[in-house]
Amino acid sequence: MHEWALAESILAAAEKTATQEHLKTIKELTINLGELQQIDRGILRFALKALADEHPSFTKAKFVFKTEKSQFTCNVCAHTWDYKDLKKTLGATEAEAVHFIPEAALAYVRCVRCGSPDFQITKGRGVTLATVKGT
Amino acid sequence: MHEWALAESILAAAEKTATQEHLKTIKELTINLGELQQIDRGILRFALKALADEHPSFTKAKFVFKTEKSQFTCNVCAHTWDYKDLKKTLGATEAEAVHFIPEAALAYVRCVRCGSPDFQITKGRGVTLATVKGT
Amino acid sequence: MDPRPSIIATRFARIKTVIAVASGKGGVGKSMIAATLALSLAKNHRVGLFDLDVYGPSAHLILGASDLQPTEDKGLVPPRISNVSFMSPVFFTQGRASPLRGSDVTNMILELLAITQWRKLDYLILDMPPGIGDETLDVIRFVPNCTFLVVTTPSKVAMGAVDKLLDILQELHRPIIGILENMATEPSPIKDDITKRSLRYLGSLPYDPSLEAALGHPEKILTTPFGQSLRRLLPAIERYETAASSNK
Amino acid sequence: MDPRPSIIATRFARIKTVIAVASGKGGVGKSMIAATLALSLAKNHRVGLFDLDVYGPSAHLILGASDLQPTEDKGLVPPRISNVSFMSPVFFTQGRASPLRGSDVTNMILELLAITQWRKLDYLILDMPPGIGDETLDVIRFVPNCTFLVVTTPSKVAMGAVDKLLDILQELHRPIIGILENMATEPSPIKDDITKRSLRYLGSLPYDPSLEAALGHPEKILTTPFGQSLRRLLPAIERYETAASSNK
Ligand SMILES: Nc1ncnc2c1ncn2[C@@H]1O[C@H](COP(=O)(O)OP(=O)(O)O)[C@@H](O)[C@H]1O
Ligand SMILES: Nc1ncnc2c1ncn2[C@@H]1O[C@H](COP(=O)(O)OP(=O)(O)O)[C@@H](O)[C@H]1O
Ligand SMILES: [Mg+2]
Ligand SMILES: [Mg+2]
Ligand SMILES: [Mg+2]
Ligand SMILES: [Mg+2]
Ligand code: NI
Ligand code: NI
Ligand SMILES: [Zn+2]
Ligand SMILES: [Zn+2]
């Protein structure tokens, strides 16, 4: 249920955008979910709806989720790989740590080609707010 | 004359590319010069030509320089500015330090809008090798 | 858009005072002081301790917090140890090395700031890493109303790094509670410099050979000469807070 | 394409041995040991010292190198002090605070690796910062044939951070000369751990109250109990090098 905290941050960010763009009623939020964080869409949607209900400008908002595929790039050998490869090596505890803090992956994962721990999370890390539509 | 050291690195990088791409004779190198580093083109060209002369595959190489305008972006207020603004506040010693190590700018320069030292060099930092043409 | 910065103010809304125990220099006793300060204040305040040293987290070793984990309740709720709400990167790295680049450090800190539910606190103590890198810049940028307690030793080498942190904090007009001199010698070689900067010299803590044996045992730490000296300096720290709030 | 990494091997071609004095932990004496090691070796070898601690550079304070600057000759030639070729970020920041993000640190280090003309050296000593951040990852990635001299104190808190660095170095099969215990106590609480890792315990250096007064005076440092103890450990360090080269 830490998805609740993320839902709060999404609505706070949307509110900020709404103020900047003089939107009074929010119709749609598009939210990118980075594959690495393995967010539970059901819980996130539930939290967003519950929070939106308490918010006059968000009561009618639709929430659109898009998954951003993950990509890891080795700084040493430039090899790239994705969550599929990474998942095999993560136990349940490690996977949960990465769910909370995606950078925990750097403690557990190594480049599948050269074994280096020096790699970047180049795509699909976490939650971002892609678009805010309203009037 | 530290441009000589940079010329050496450019030719070493070009050689690496040439090997990878099975080029035997290099015809043209395009080199991007980030504005922040204020490279002396005359000296750099002189060094490149002198080094190329000793290198069978580079003797006929043409060197094309392009300047990449600089841009600084404040991490706090998102304001952007460029070398023109920055130059006003740098003394001769500071400017020389930035010529050697562009990141020295972070010790001397502040966001022109909010005064923060927490900014990024988003464009035009230093020397990059853009293209290697040959046969 | 990164949604995390937008929620931090909410997470900190019910925290009265945030104190970053910082130095610029490593090994001067930041973690010892941060942890011991948290333990002392927790005797009659609601206190949190947040270890921000992602490469060399130490607070859990000092507190003896080995088998703790945060619980989930609309975010992560820090576990409590010796009456202190405690959050640390070790909960996620399980003591493994964290070879992080700067941008990873920023992401880790931002994520923890966004999802940690500190709830109501009188004090949140931040145990800072050395340097003026991503962690320090992120605290300056993201943590609302952060005050700084700067730690040094009497050594010229330590003051070399500490001076740079003070330069930045003073340039940015950040509230500095004062400077604490750890493993002090007599007479203090740094008092003058601090006065010249118009900063407060909060006092000194002795080199205490009994400290090592007390590591991992909160109650013992409080009874060491080090712990007792720090306790005597609490009024000076609390006085600053009172002065700061009456200036508002 | 970034041209800088391509030239580093050339810059290091005439350096016989590179020793990174590292720890993971701050304040354990890395800079004292790196500088003193450089000074000792310089008595009968060609030696360079490269300060890689961009936030808290200390080597110049220890060497008393105040008014030095590199000279330009097909790159930057490090100035010499007490027979040591010395390169430091302070030459470019003039003692001002350097609030750098991780990617800036990497850029600064790469630039210095690419343009510094060390020429012919028997030893290049790297004074490392704490942590396993950009500097450490960059040295692992970019510095050819780097060996590691790992420094710790006997404290549990120090070993907590040092263990993480050792984990990474051993996982990556990097050559570790051994572990040096600074400000040692008797009996050593860390010897066993080191043996279990199949690493070499190089010896211990005493806590030396006379060191502070010697800072900035290279000749004095060498005559302190600290300096003399370190000198006695040189054969153990050089023995490693000989073993390593005969293995090639
Ligand atoms: N006053 C003191 N007396 C004796 N040892 C101390 C004292 N303060 C700190 N230490 C020890 O010094 C080392 C560095 O302290 P630590 O709190 O880890 O520093 P930092 O967090 O600044 O890196 C640790 O081994 C710690 O136990
Ligand atoms: N053996 C020793 N005896 C006494 N003081 C020491 C000793 N080694 C280091 N110091 C002092 O301890 C402090 C930390 O040393 P330093 O070399 O700066 O550590 P690091 O580079 O690991 O951060 C400095 O003030 C230094 O002068
Ligand atoms: Mg610490
Ligand atoms: Mg850092
Ligand atoms: Mg040091
Ligand atoms: Mg760093
Ligand atoms: Ni969750
Ligand atoms: Ni030049
Ligand atoms: Zn790899
Ligand atoms: Zn700004």
Side-chain angles (χ1 to χ4, degrees):
Chain A
M1 276 300 285
H2 101 289
E3 275 78 354
W4 185 277
L6 299 175
E8 285 181 310
S9 73
I10 292 166
L11 289 190
E15 237 189 309
K16 210 176 266 182
T17 310
T19 310
Q20 273 165 14
E21 299 181 3
H22 309 289
L23 307 175
K24 283 195 185 134
T25 313
I26 306 299
K27 296 210 163 147
E28 187 182 291
L29 300 185
T30 313
I31 297 149
N32 281 344
L33 301 176
E35 187 184 21
L36 177 57
Q37 205 163 18
Q38 294 284 304
I39 293 299
D40 187 316
R41 286 179 177 222
I43 303 180
L44 184 62
R45 187 179 298 278
F46 171 84
L48 284 167
K49 281 201 186 297
L51 288 162
D53 275 348
E54 291 168 21
H55 239 289
S57 45
F58 283 96
T59 39
K60 286 177 186 156
K62 234 185 81 188
F63 301 104
V64 180
F65 295 140
K66 294 201 169 145
T67 299
E68 193 190 325
K69 284 269 168 209
S70 61
Q71 189 193 44
F72 309 94
T73 308
C74 179
N75 286 329
V76 175
C77 78
H79 184 66
T80 62
W81 67 99
D82 65 15
Y83 191 74
K84 204 162 59 291
D85 306 303
L86 178 148
K87 215 174 133 188
K88 297 173 205 155
T89 65
L90 288 183
T93 319
E94 287 84 8
E96 185 174 49
V98 173
H99 168 62
F100 293 133
I101 310 289
E103 286 65 37
L106 287 146
Y108 303 118
V109 179
R110 299 299 182 245
C111 169
V112 290
R113 189 203 276 160
C114 80
S116 172
D118 183 9
F119 63 86
Q120 284 176 277
I121 304 167
T122 33
K123 278 183 202 157
R125 178 201 171 277
V127 176
T128 54
L129 178 59
T131 63
V132 179
K133 286 185 196 154
T135 48
Chain B
M1 276 299 285
H2 100 290
E3 275 78 355
W4 186 276
L6 299 175
E8 286 181 309
S9 73
I10 293 167
L11 289 191
E15 236 188 309
K16 209 176 266 181
T17 310
T19 310
Q20 274 165 13
E21 300 180 1
H22 309 288
L23 306 176
K24 282 192 186 137
T25 315
I26 306 300
K27 295 208 164 149
E28 188 183 290
L29 300 185
T30 314
I31 297 150
N32 280 345
L33 301 176
E35 186 183 24
L36 177 56
Q37 205 163 17
Q38 295 283 302
I39 293 298
D40 187 316
R41 287 180 178 221
I43 302 179
L44 183 63
R45 187 180 296 281
F46 171 84
L48 285 167
K49 281 202 185 294
L51 288 162
D53 275 347
E54 291 167 21
H55 239 290
S57 46
F58 284 97
T59 38
K60 285 176 186 158
K62 236 185 82 189
F63 301 104
V64 180
F65 296 140
K66 292 199 170 149
T67 299
E68 193 190 323
K69 286 268 167 209
S70 61
Q71 189 193 45
F72 309 95
T73 308
C74 180
N75 286 328
V76 175
C77 78
H79 184 66
T80 60
W81 67 100
D82 66 16
Y83 192 76
K84 207 164 55 291
D85 306 304
L86 178 150
K87 214 173 132 188
K88 296 173 205 155
T89 64
L90 289 183
T93 319
E94 287 85 7
E96 185 174 50
V98 172
H99 168 62
F100 293 133
I101 310 288
E103 286 64 37
L106 287 146
Y108 303 118
V109 178
R110 298 299 182 244
C111 169
V112 290
R113 189 205 276 162
C114 81
S116 172
D118 183 9
F119 62 86
Q120 284 175 274
I121 304 168
T122 33
K123 279 185 202 155
R125 178 200 172 278
V127 176
T128 54
L129 179 58
T131 63
V132 179
K133 286 185 196 155
T135 49
Chain C
M1 182 185 193
D2 183 349
R4 297 171 296 174
S6 304
I7 201 65
I8 296 176
T10 307
R11 298 281 177 262
F12 277 71
R14 294 195 296 156
I15 303 176
K16 273 195 208 146
T17 302
V18 184
I19 302 178
V21 179
S23 170
K25 178 71 184 166
V28 295
K30 292 180 295 297
S31 297
M32 267 318 303
I33 289 169
T36 310
L37 181 62
L39 291 169
S40 305
L41 289 168
K43 293 289 169 195
N44 36 46
H45 298 284
R46 274 170 301 241
V47 177
L49 175 63
F50 189 0
D51 193 338
L52 285 176
D53 190 342
V54 299
Y55 301 117
S58 314
H60 64 294
L61 298 173
I62 299 171
L63 296 179
S66 47
D67 288 328
L68 296 178
Q69 276 293 324
T71 50
E72 280 188 79
D73 182 8
K74 299 190 171 179
L76 293 185
V77 180
R80 287 173 68 75
I81 175 162
S82 302
N83 220 23
V84 171
S85 295
F86 178 53
M87 185 54 98
S88 165
V90 290
F91 296 149
F92 310 96
T93 56
Q94 301 178 58
R96 288 179 58 108
S98 311
L100 307 179
R101 296 258 170 200
S103 55
D104 303 314
V105 171
T106 293
N107 263 320
M108 186 180 246
I109 290 177
L110 254 182
E111 200 76 32
L112 285 172
L113 288 172
I115 67 176
T116 304
Q117 297 284 10
W118 292 104
R119 299 180 174 166
K120 202 173 165 173
L121 293 180
D122 296 312
Y123 291 96
L124 176 63
I125 313 294
L126 310 180
D127 180 10
M128 300 295 294
I132 313 178
D134 292 275
E135 304 88 336
T136 305
L137 294 170
D138 290 332
V139 164
I140 289 175
R141 180 172 166 204
F142 292 119
V143 176
N145 302 320
C146 189
T147 66
F148 290 83
L149 180 64
V150 176
V151 180
T152 188
T153 67
S155 172
K156 283 196 268 298
V157 178
M159 277 308 288
V162 174
D163 267 331
K164 294 186 178 63
L165 178 66
L166 292 174
D167 284 347
I168 288 287
L169 294 177
Q170 291 198 291
E171 179 187 334
L172 297 176
H173 304 290
R174 295 299 151 139
I176 300 171
I177 300 178
I179 283 81
L180 208 50
E181 187 178 5
N182 191 20
M183 311 190 226
T185 47
E186 283 292 333
S188 163
I190 63 164
K191 252 185 186 165
D192 279 358
D193 283 358
I194 292 167
T195 315
K196 267 186 217 137
R197 284 181 176 274
S198 307
L199 291 174
R200 187 177 335 209
Y201 178 79
L202 291 170
S204 68
L205 297 166
Y207 177 82
D208 179 354
S210 73
L211 208 47
E212 185 68 24
L215 293 178
H217 308 283
E219 283 309 317
K220 267 198 208 164
I221 291 172
L222 292 176
T223 59
T224 58
F226 171 85
Q228 296 194 313
S229 301
L230 186 58
R231 164 152 273 180
R232 278 192 291 275
L233 299 175
L234 287 188
I237 295 169
E238 292 172 329
R239 209 176 306 135
Y240 176 87
E241 297 314 323
T242 320
S245 20
S246 69
N247 276 342
K248 271 178 194 163
Chain D
M1 181 184 193
D2 183 348
R4 296 171 296 173
S6 305
I7 200 66
I8 296 176
T10 307
R11 299 281 177 262
F12 278 71
R14 294 196 294 156
I15 303 176
K16 273 195 210 147
T17 303
V18 183
I19 302 178
V21 179
S23 169
K25 177 73 184 166
V28 294
K30 293 180 294 298
S31 297
M32 268 317 301
I33 289 169
T36 310
L37 182 61
L39 291 169
S40 305
L41 289 168
K43 293 289 170 194
N44 35 46
H45 297 283
R46 274 170 302 238
V47 178
L49 175 64
F50 188 1
D51 192 339
L52 284 176
D53 190 343
V54 299
Y55 301 117
S58 313
H60 64 293
L61 298 172
I62 299 170
L63 296 178
S66 47
D67 288 327
L68 296 178
Q69 276 292 324
T71 50
E72 280 186 79
D73 183 8
K74 299 190 172 178
L76 293 186
V77 179
R80 288 173 68 75
I81 175 163
S82 302
N83 220 25
V84 171
S85 294
F86 178 53
M87 185 54 98
S88 165
V90 289
F91 296 149
F92 310 96
T93 56
Q94 300 179 58
R96 288 178 60 108
S98 311
L100 307 179
R101 296 259 170 198
S103 55
D104 302 314
V105 170
T106 292
N107 263 321
M108 186 179 247
I109 290 176
L110 254 183
E111 200 76 30
L112 285 172
L113 288 173
I115 66 176
T116 304
Q117 298 283 10
W118 292 104
R119 299 180 174 166
K120 202 173 166 175
L121 292 179
D122 296 312
Y123 291 97
L124 176 63
I125 313 294
L126 309 180
D127 181 10
M128 299 296 294
I132 314 179
D134 292 275
E135 304 88 336
T136 305
L137 294 171
D138 290 332
V139 164
I140 289 175
R141 180 173 166 203
F142 291 119
V143 176
N145 302 318
C146 189
T147 66
F148 290 84
L149 180 66
V150 176
V151 180
T152 187
T153 68
S155 172
K156 283 195 268 295
V157 178
M159 276 309 288
V162 174
D163 267 331
K164 295 187 177 63
L165 177 66
L166 291 174
D167 284 346
I168 288 287
L169 294 177
Q170 292 198 291
E171 180 186 334
L172 297 176
H173 306 289
R174 295 300 151 139
I176 300 171
I177 299 178
I179 284 81
L180 209 50
E181 187 178 3
N182 191 21
M183 310 191 227
T185 47
E186 281 295 332
S188 164
I190 62 163
K191 253 185 187 166
D192 280 357
D193 284 358
I194 292 168
T195 315
K196 266 186 218 138
R197 285 180 176 274
S198 308
L199 290 175
R200 190 178 332 213
Y201 178 79
L202 291 170
S204 68
L205 298 167
Y207 178 83
D208 179 355
S210 73
L211 208 47
E212 184 68 22
L215 293 178
H217 307 283
E219 283 309 316
K220 267 198 208 165
I221 291 172
L222 291 176
T223 60
T224 59
F226 170 86
Q228 297 195 313
S229 302
L230 186 58
R231 164 152 274 181
R232 278 192 291 274
L233 299 176
L234 287 189
I237 295 169
E238 291 171 329
R239 209 177 305 137
Y240 176 87
E241 297 315 324
T242 319
S245 18
S246 69
N247 277 343
K248 269 179 197 165

